[in-house]
DNA sequence: CGTTTTTGACCCGCGC
DNA sequence: GCGCGGGTCAAAAACG
């Protein structure tokens, strides 16, 4: 377990691993394998991230993707902090595109609730807000989006996807593709689109949680038991 | 022939 | 109430 996704779990305890109850709605803004403490604390779950982030991106040779993920999930001030912390002028900030509006809203709500309550109970407040939003809107599955520079639109994340729609969204020249996990009873969806400002960048948005392991691991149906902890 | 992709139609939430 | 736009459906086509 020297590199790869297994190492992702061993993040030195910087993140407090928290179980997510089925009643909580969640958005997971931070990859847990960053080498510095989180700047905000929405629902953080190591399991969540290992489930959502494609193993190819969680690999140790792709740290820039994860820092971009972090930046994409942060406020402007936080992005500045992160950039100065990492000293990375190459780091990019993600525009608040329509693809991320919901996610941004959740981050901001969690941020404000933490500021106002301050401390240990922010998670509870956040969960309550999520519940309210769930009641107000339709079904809100946990969402996570990130961007990466890639020639291919669909990244190999270990799961099997079936395309069920494509749409040209306003003010963009590249269509947005809609995929659904092919596994029975698994309602996870993902959207893939290219950034209008920089077509080299692919924005992938995952919605929902897988109820199974990646298809790669299903080949021999006798995966090590500890793997079950990765996927929720 | 089963599975996946394509694509126009339809649905529905939201702003005006 | 209406129109717009994003998301989904489903039939047909394409693929392996």
């Amino acid at each position: 377990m020297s590199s790869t996704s297994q190492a992702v779990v061993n993040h030195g305890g910087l993140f407090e691993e928290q179980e997510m109850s089925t009643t909580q709605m969640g958005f997971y803004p931070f990859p847990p394998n960053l080498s510095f403490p989180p700047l905000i604390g929405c629902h953080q779950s190591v399991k969540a991230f290992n489930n959502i982030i494609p193993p190819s991106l969680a690999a140790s040779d792709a740290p820039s993707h994860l820092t971009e993920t972090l930046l994409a999930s942060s406020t402007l001030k936080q992005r500045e902090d992160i950039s100065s912390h990492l000293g990375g002028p190459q780091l990019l900030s993600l525009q608040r595109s329509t693809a991320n509006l919901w996610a941004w809203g959740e981050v901001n709500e969690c941020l404000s609730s933490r500021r106002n309550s301050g401390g240990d109970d922010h998670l509870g407040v956040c969960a309550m807000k999520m519940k309210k939003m769930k009641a107000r809107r339709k079904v809100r599955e946990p969402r996570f989006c990130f961007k990466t520079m890639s020639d291919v639109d669909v990244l190999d994340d270990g799961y099997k996807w079936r395309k069920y729609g494509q749409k040209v969204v306003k003010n963009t020249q590249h269509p947005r593709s809609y995929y659904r996990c092919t596994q029975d009873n698994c309602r996870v969806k993902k959207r893939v689109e290219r950034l209008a400002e920089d077509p080299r960048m692919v924005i992938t948005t995952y919605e929902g949680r897988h109820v199974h392991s990646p298809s790669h691991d299903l080949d021999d149906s006798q995966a090590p038991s500890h793997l079950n902890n990765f996927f929720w």
Side-chain angles (χ1 to χ4, degrees):
Chain A
M1 64 149 80
S2 53
S3 55
T4 69
S5 58
Q6 177 73 23
V8 172
V9 181
N10 299 323
H11 48 77
L14 290 175
F15 281 73
E16 186 176 342
E17 186 172 339
Q18 291 160 336
E19 289 290 341
M20 179 177 171
S21 77
T22 53
T23 57
Q24 289 176 337
M25 306 297 289
F27 172 70
Y28 304 92
F30 293 109
N33 59 336
L34 294 170
S35 59
F36 52 90
L39 293 170
I40 65 173
C42 205
H43 299 304
Q44 292 146 3
S45 167
V46 170
K47 293 175 185 176
F49 259 87
N50 277 286
N51 191 31
I52 288 174
I53 288 188
S56 59
L57 295 186
S60 58
D61 61 349
S64 62
H65 298 307
L66 296 173
T67 52
E68 285 186 11
T69 299
L70 179 71
L71 289 168
S73 305
S74 308
T75 66
L76 178 61
K77 174 65 168 65
Q78 287 168 338
R79 285 200 294 272
E80 290 170 357
D81 291 344
I82 296 166
S83 293
S84 63
H85 187 282
L86 296 178
Q90 78 284 1
L91 294 174
L92 303 169
S93 62
L94 184 64
Q95 298 295 317
R96 296 189 181 209
S97 68
T98 54
N100 299 321
L101 280 180
W102 281 15
W104 278 106
E106 289 165 14
V107 169
N108 289 335
E109 287 210 34
C110 288
L111 274 172
S112 60
S113 70
R114 187 187 195 186
R115 266 196 297 272
N116 295 335
S117 63
D120 298 333
D121 61 338
H122 77 273
L123 192 71
V125 174
C126 196
M128 284 172 54
K129 276 183 173 287
M130 293 295 184
K131 270 190 172 179
K132 279 186 181 175
M133 286 193 289
K134 184 181 182 180
R136 195 173 65 228
R137 295 171 188 165
K138 230 181 153 185
V139 178
R140 169 78 67 82
E141 295 289 338
R143 287 188 175 195
F144 173 80
C145 67
F146 62 91
K147 68 173 178 177
T148 183
M149 191 177 291
S150 173
D151 289 334
V152 295
D153 290 344
V154 183
L155 304 164
D156 179 16
D157 51 13
Y159 294 93
K160 279 192 70 179
W161 302 92
R162 175 177 301 146
K163 189 174 185 176
Y164 67 90
Q166 177 170 305
K167 194 84 174 180
V168 176
V169 295
K170 213 181 171 193
N171 298 325
T172 62
Q173 60 270 50
H174 298 93
R176 175 184 298 169
S177 297
Y178 300 89
Y179 297 87
R180 184 172 292 145
C181 185
T182 57
Q183 190 79 16
D184 283 348
N185 302 324
C186 185
R187 302 177 59 83
V188 178
K189 288 177 282 190
K190 77 171 177 180
R191 301 192 301 234
V192 177
E193 63 188 304
R194 291 205 170 264
L195 198 59
E197 304 87 71
D198 186 357
R200 296 170 304 171
M201 308 301 295
V202 176
I203 298 178
T204 306
T205 304
Y206 290 88
E207 180 176 333
R209 354 167 163 181
H210 292 282
V211 297
H212 57 95
S213 301
S215 54
H216 289 175
D217 298 328
L218 290 177
D219 294 343
D220 53 353
S221 74
Q222 49 183 0
S225 61
H226 73 270
L227 261 180
N228 295 335
N229 293 330
F230 275 20
F231 310 101
W232 39 268

